[in-house]
Amino acid sequence: MIEPTLNYVPCPGLAAASAPAALTDVTGASPAQYPAAHRMAYWEWNATGNPAHPHVVVCVHGLSRQGRDFDTLARSLSAHVRVICPDVVGRGQSDWLADPMGYQLPVYAADMLALLAQVHQQGPIATLDWVGTSMGGFIGMALAGQPGLPLPAPVRRLVLNDVGPVIQWQALQRIGQYLGYPARFESLQQAADALWAISSSFGPHTPEQWLALSQPMVRSLPEGGLALHYDPAIAVPFRALTPEAAAAGEAALWQLYDHIQAQTLLLRGAQSDLLSRETASAMQARGPRARCVELAGVGHAPTLVAADQVAVVQDFLLAAPLETGALAE
């Protein structure tokens, strides 16, 4: 069975002076070799037989998750395309930032530009697609909705997984109840059980599926036991958000959305508390006029592990070119 390779890209902005001992660079490089940069890790999947395959799909995770969330989807896509799944800075195998206020959309988008430049240098990108879950969708909107950015190729197809320009305030309050608080676990199963307690809205999963999703969510502690994989400081700018700032952010996100030229697929968990049906309807009527697929029995956010979820994304990304406006019909 194909497995991904772990890679790193240096990005502007200082890394924290200390990082978890579990974060080691398989290339042997140390943060000291990037004195004015932090390293972003990314997982590359490629079973096409061409290490420089020109069709690249970037899959970006949600706020407190990491790139291995996409293992099932990426493994399926990798026979056809080159799949890149970054650990957004502060998560997974990536460095933590020296300044917690850097954990915001402008830094994330800049990091993705650095990533795309490196991937393009390794093998020219002719076709670029994006799959973004929650926060990863915001990053996708930032890149696809700003004409003139130095992308190696325009974003051709964009999958927004349970995310849109309007975020329900109660959903942010729910996430704030657990984000960034320290937790220590004695075993992977204990961690998986704790994660399920705050993630049951992801929808039905077998115990094996949930354990596989949970394993990359923890790191080993030097004194024994396990902790969550991310920098608790990612919660600092999140907790500084006010209803007024969120409303201003919505206006900016709608502006980005309205400038998107990519053919867009919107996935919505039928029970989502973050993406309302009203927002989904508005997204079908304006901007790229997204095609919306609602997934029964799922809230925020679909994990793209179930076969039907994988199929709808893969069929969209690998389908023949569509005529302008076809998605909205």
Side-chain angles (χ1 to χ4, degrees), residues 80-115:
H80 311 278
V81 300
R82 191 177 175 194
V83 187
I84 305 295
C85 303
D87 289 345
V88 176
V89 66
R91 288 88 167 168
Q93 298 296 313
S94 292
D95 284 343
W96 294 4
L97 290 176
D99 180 5
M101 293 308 292
Y103 291 127
Q104 298 192 67
L105 187 55
V107 170
Y108 300 154
D111 284 4
M112 296 303 161
L113 290 176
L115 168 64

Side-chain angles (χ1 to χ4, degrees), residues 60 105 109 112 130-147 149 151 155 157-167 249-262 264-266 274-275 279 283 286-288 290:
V60 185
L105 187 55
M112 296 303 161
W130 191 280
V131 179
T133 295
S134 197
M135 178 187 74
F138 290 138
I139 301 171
M141 284 192 281
L143 295 187
Q146 294 189 74
L149 287 181
L151 294 169
V155 177
R157 291 184 181 169
L158 173 66
V159 179
L160 298 176
N161 186 15
D162 209 63
V163 65
V166 179
I167 302 173
E250 285 179 14
L253 287 169
W254 274 121
Q255 186 174 24
L256 290 171
Y257 182 78
D258 287 339
H259 281 91
I260 291 172
Q261 298 297 309
T264 302
L265 172 66
L266 177 64
L274 189 136
L275 177 65
T279 298
M283 294 171 72
R286 60 189 283 185

Side-chain angles (χ1 to χ4, degrees), residues 49-62:
N50 177 5
H53 197 282
H55 187 176
V56 170
V57 176
V58 180
C59 301
V60 185
H61 59 79

Side-chain angles (χ1 to χ4, degrees), residues 208-239:
E208 293 77 18
Q209 287 173 333
W210 188 250
L211 201 64
L213 281 169
S214 299
Q215 187 165 8
M217 291 291 293
V218 294
R219 56 185 173 85
S220 298
L221 294 169
E223 64 274 18
L226 302 168
L228 292 174
H229 69 97
Y230 65 80
D231 181 359
I234 66 172
V236 172
F238 184 87
R239 292 211 172 91

